[in-house]
Every structure is written in structure tokens, then in C-alpha cells.
Amino acid sequence: ALCREMQRPEVFSAGIPGLAKASGKSAEYLSRCFRRYQGRSPMEALTALRMAYAANLLVTTAMPIVEISLECGYSSLSHFYAVFRGTYGISPAGYRKAYRME
């Protein structure tokens, strides 16, 4: 149920505190469970969801990148750029240009 719940932007954009609130469990408990059952940390799972959501917004909307960054839960635009580039190998602007559906 938590895996389904964490798909919601309002949950994954809130980070670990949002995930803990949605599950009613402590961050420590979530960390142990994620590592045991998914082989990754809760933050790694949240980052994957955030990046997929950001990529979708980049190609399906005209939202400014800074707004997409905030929507995904990143308060630092430079950190958002770094994580996005690390995930997709291209900047958010480059991704939008390459994959935009017009």
C-alpha cells in the first residue's frame, strides 16, 4: 500500500518525512524495510519517482524548470539539475528540447 501511496506527487515531493507520515511508521523503520524488500533506501526510491515525474512534466508541460524543480520537492535548482543530469545524462533543458512532444 505504501508503494502505491508514494506514487502521489504530494507524498514523494515531501521526501522522507512525507513518506513516514503517509505510512505512519518512523523513518528508521522505513529505511530497514526498504533495504530488506527493495534493496535500496527510501531516498533512492523517492529520487527515482521525482525524476520520472520531472521528466514527464518537462515533455508534457510548458512549466518553467524552476517550477518543476519545486513541484518535485527540490528547493535548490542546482541540486535538481545535478540529480537530473545524474539520472538521465542530460540537463533538464536538454531533455525537454530532445523529447518535447509538439
Side-chain angles (χ1 to χ4, degrees):
L2 179 59
C3 288
R4 192 173 42 253
E5 186 71 14
M6 69 187 279
Q7 301 284 328
R8 295 184 18 230
E10 58 272 12
V11 174
F12 66 71
S13 66
I16 301 295
L19 192 58
K21 183 178 178 184
S23 69
K25 306 293 183 191
S26 72
E28 294 79 15
Y29 178 80
L30 290 175
S31 182
R32 286 192 305 273
C33 287
F34 266 82
R35 289 207 184 275
R36 179 181 298 147
Y37 298 111
Q38 290 197 357
R40 61 185 178 168
S41 73
M43 197 65 229
E44 290 169 328
L46 290 173
T47 298
L49 290 169
R50 287 174 168 182
M51 290 297 102
Y53 185 60
N56 181 58
L57 290 176
L58 285 166
V59 298
T60 61
T61 72
M63 284 175 69
I65 293 172
V66 68
E67 286 183 26
I68 292 172
S69 155
L70 293 170
E71 177 79 15
C72 293
Y74 291 93
S75 57
S76 166
L77 185 59
S78 63
H79 182 64
F80 171 73
Y81 263 79
V83 174
F84 194 92
R85 185 180 294 278
T87 301
Y88 292 104
I90 190 171
S91 71
Y95 188 92
R96 174 175 269 169
K97 186 177 181 181
Y99 297 103
R100 181 74 188 226
M101 296 177 208
E102 296 182 289

